[in-house]
Amino acid sequence: MLFRALAAMGAAIALALASPATGFALRSYWAAPFSETTHTPTFGQAPVFVPHTDPQLVVYGKDFKTGDKNQVYIQRFDGQGPATCLTCTGPGSETGNVNGVPAVSPDGQWIIFHSWRGHYLTIGSPGYGGMGSTLWAMRTDGSRQTQLTDVQPPTAGPFNGEGVDDYHAYWSPDGTHIEYAHLNWNFVTGGGEGKWDVRVAEFHVTADGTPYLANTNVVRPANGHWYETQWWNPNPKRPGFLYTETFPTPSGGGAAMTPQLFYCQLVNHYSACKNGGTRLTSSESWDEQAIFTPDARSVIFMSSRAQPGIFNTWVNLAQTLGLPNDYDYLLVLPLFEAGFLQPVGQESTDLYELRLRYPEQVRRLTYDGDEGWITPEFTWDPTNSFLMWTDNRFPNGYRYQFPVELDEWVSHFQSLLENPPGPDIVNVGQNGVGVAPLPLEQRTQIGVFTR
């Protein structure tokens, strides 16, 4: 928190400086202690706040196992009252109505969400990467649901738009643009080669209240690398966003399928990343999910660097052999599933902080990965007072993390059989992934920087 000496009062009084860009802020997030607590209720993965609401509202994607599949819900942050489904019905919901990963506009008026509606070829889960997602927008009450990307003409055949994916969309701090990652496997009508790119588009609303995107620019090319887009710089005077890209080592050596964190400072009317993007991390791990601190001086990100596992083992091998990145678009799905979506040698992750000007300076914020937790997407509350995220993990006994002796794991598994998980353990499909028939533990965490 920033402090000023108020001479008129004759004493030093702490004041929290606020502005439209930063809100609540500390003097230095880099030097501030960080702590976390578990919140009730537990939201779905990738929860985000709806600004300018009282009581405070949260939206998230989740499958409550009631037959509606994964949908976007809105609920009070304090857990009072029911969770209301926003996408269980709506235009195009007759086919493939699975939705997730909502993103709320800074003015709290619009929600962008990721949907499989109308698609037959689907892999993974909408919004997390895979195949079949297109971007939709709706009002925060669920009205005005409108498809934004890959809109097919009325004369198009039923399979004309298959093989694409638009995911991990985020709003610019002024609400005028969104950025997202795009996959194109539509080799029938879309010239697709199965590669990703990164796009920035203008968000508009017509006079009759219909949302649409315009002036879409590809700011990172379809080069065979895997991309995932992250949060924007909160300073609107320096437009740009964080993103993950599988990229060779800084020396130029090969390191196939090594996701690292980059910053895209936008130039030329949002049509390109300055200098092609700035590398922020260079570790032998999976670095992803990143957000700026409110002062825009530090970046908080998720990494698997602290724990050994199948994926980190792969990265070491890829660097040793100098494997090229040309085929990352084919490797990403099997390596991600092997590293994160099955219990043997599963990676776990923690939150880290780096300084934007000195990215080699990194400090660890959480130690949940030591207990097998995976920290995915996270967000600030509307006042920038705390972070929120939902952890996931396989229960003790199911996980066979490295390093552990086989007899130790057998002992854990025997204990699990004798004391099976209770009703609070949910199926992995709650996040819409549905790739492993194993129970999954979830918890929503609150992280706070203190002076």
Side-chain angles (χ1 to χ4, degrees):
M1 185 175 290
L2 298 175
F3 293 91
R4 288 181 177 174
L6 301 181
M9 299 181 64
I13 300 177
L15 289 179
L17 297 183
S19 71
T22 60
F24 174 90
L26 295 177
R27 180 185 298 275
S28 174
Y29 288 87
W30 179 254
F34 185 82
S35 61
E36 62 174 307
T37 57
T38 299
H39 178 70
T40 301
T42 298
F43 302 117
Q45 187 171 319
V48 290
F49 290 94
V50 182
H52 314 299
T53 55
D54 186 15
Q56 182 64 65
L57 299 176
V58 175
V59 292
Y60 55 88
K62 193 166 186 174
D63 185 351
F64 282 98
K65 297 303 176 184
T66 59
D68 291 322
K69 300 182 180 180
N70 203 83
Q71 300 296 337
V72 176
Y73 292 86
I74 190 167
Q75 185 176 3
R76 284 177 53 160
F77 174 67
D78 61 13
Q80 301 298 312
T84 300
C85 183
L86 298 177
T87 56
C88 289
T89 59
S93 59
E94 298 81 11
T95 303
N97 189 35
V98 182
N99 307 281
V101 195
V104 186
S105 62
D107 62 5
Q109 298 298 308
W110 291 95
I111 298 175
I112 287 178
F113 63 99
H114 306 72
S115 180
W116 280 355
R117 291 178 178 180
H119 285 278
Y120 299 90
L121 181 58
T122 56
I123 299 173
S125 183
Y128 294 114
M131 188 181 297
S133 293
T134 52
L135 301 183
W136 286 62
M138 63 181 168
R139 290 286 189 180
T140 50
D141 62 359
S143 64
R144 286 289 182 177
Q145 295 186 31
T146 305
Q147 187 173 348
L148 300 178
T149 60
D150 194 43
V151 179
Q152 298 297 312
T155 57
F159 297 99
N160 193 68
E162 298 300 321
V164 299
D165 199 72
D166 295 318
Y167 66 104
H168 251 240
Y170 289 90
W171 293 87
S172 63
D174 59 7
T176 62
H177 291 74
I178 65 166
E179 38 93 0
Y180 58 96
H182 174 76
L183 169 67
N184 186 4
W185 268 114
N186 183 0
F187 53 83
V188 177
T189 60
E193 298 178 324
K195 297 181 180 180
W196 283 266
D197 59 51
V198 176
R199 303 185 174 194
V200 175
E202 297 175 3
F203 180 82
H204 296 277
V205 181
T206 63
D208 68 355
T210 302
Y212 68 97
L213 299 182
N215 297 325
T216 301
N217 290 287
V218 175
V219 300
R220 288 295 298 146
N223 53 13
H225 299 180
W226 172 73
Y227 293 105
E228 184 169 274
T229 42
Q230 316 296 343
W231 288 90
W232 286 70
N233 187 330
N235 184 351
K237 295 181 179 180
R238 297 179 62 85
F241 56 88
L242 301 159
Y243 68 96
T244 297
E245 180 177 357
T246 58
F247 208 87
T249 60
S251 63
M257 198 50 227
T258 307
Q260 299 295 289
L261 190 63
F262 291 79
Y263 175 50
C264 172
Q265 182 179 335
L266 290 165
V267 294
N268 298 330
H269 301 287
Y270 291 42
S271 63
C273 299
K274 182 179 180 180
N275 300 324
T278 302
R279 175 189 284 269
L280 299 180
T281 65
S282 302
S283 70
E284 298 174 349
S285 61
W286 191 293
D287 293 345
E288 195 190 349
Q289 312 302 354
I291 195 170
F292 280 92
T293 53
D295 60 6
R297 295 178 179 177
S298 294
V299 172
I300 302 166
F301 66 101
M302 176 276 284
S303 178
S304 65
R305 63 185 62 194
Q307 292 85 21
I310 284 181
F311 180 77
N312 288 1
T313 301
W314 158 264
V315 172
N316 277 279
L317 176 63
Q319 290 191 350
T320 300
L321 298 178
L323 300 180
N325 284 75
D326 299 342
Y327 300 100
D328 282 353
Y329 68 103
L330 299 176
L331 292 171
V332 59
L333 183 59
L335 285 175
F336 179 78
E337 290 186 349
F340 290 93
L341 301 183
Q342 57 80 38
V344 179
Q346 184 192 38
E347 297 289 350
S348 55
T349 63
D350 283 292
L351 295 183
Y352 292 79
E353 181 186 7
L354 61 80
R355 303 177 70 182
L356 186 62
R357 292 186 62 186
Y358 309 100
E360 69 279 0
Q361 298 182 19
V362 179
R363 69 163 178 153
R364 186 176 179 181
L365 297 177
T366 67
Y367 291 83
D368 301 329
D370 293 345
E371 299 176 350
W373 292 101
I374 298 173
T375 300
E377 296 83 358
F378 44 93
T379 185
W380 289 100
D381 79 298
T383 66
N384 291 327
S385 301
F386 60 86
L387 289 168
M388 176 179 67
W389 68 92
T390 296
D391 280 337
N392 304 278
R393 74 172 180 182
F394 292 121
N396 292 330
Y398 283 101
R399 300 190 318 276
Y400 184 11
Q401 288 179 267
F402 300 155
V404 63
E405 298 297 330
L406 180 59
D407 58 349
E408 180 183 352
W409 182 78
V410 170
S411 176
H412 287 169
F413 190 69
Q414 182 178 0
S415 176
L416 181 71
L417 293 177
E418 295 173 354
N419 300 280
D424 58 320
I425 304 297
V426 297
N427 187 278
V428 72
Q430 271 207 325
N431 291 333
V433 180
V435 296
L438 295 174
L440 182 75
E441 292 178 311
Q442 286 188 317
R443 64 180 188 181
T444 296
Q445 298 294 99
I446 302 297
V448 178
F449 287 90
T450 56
R451 61 181 179 87

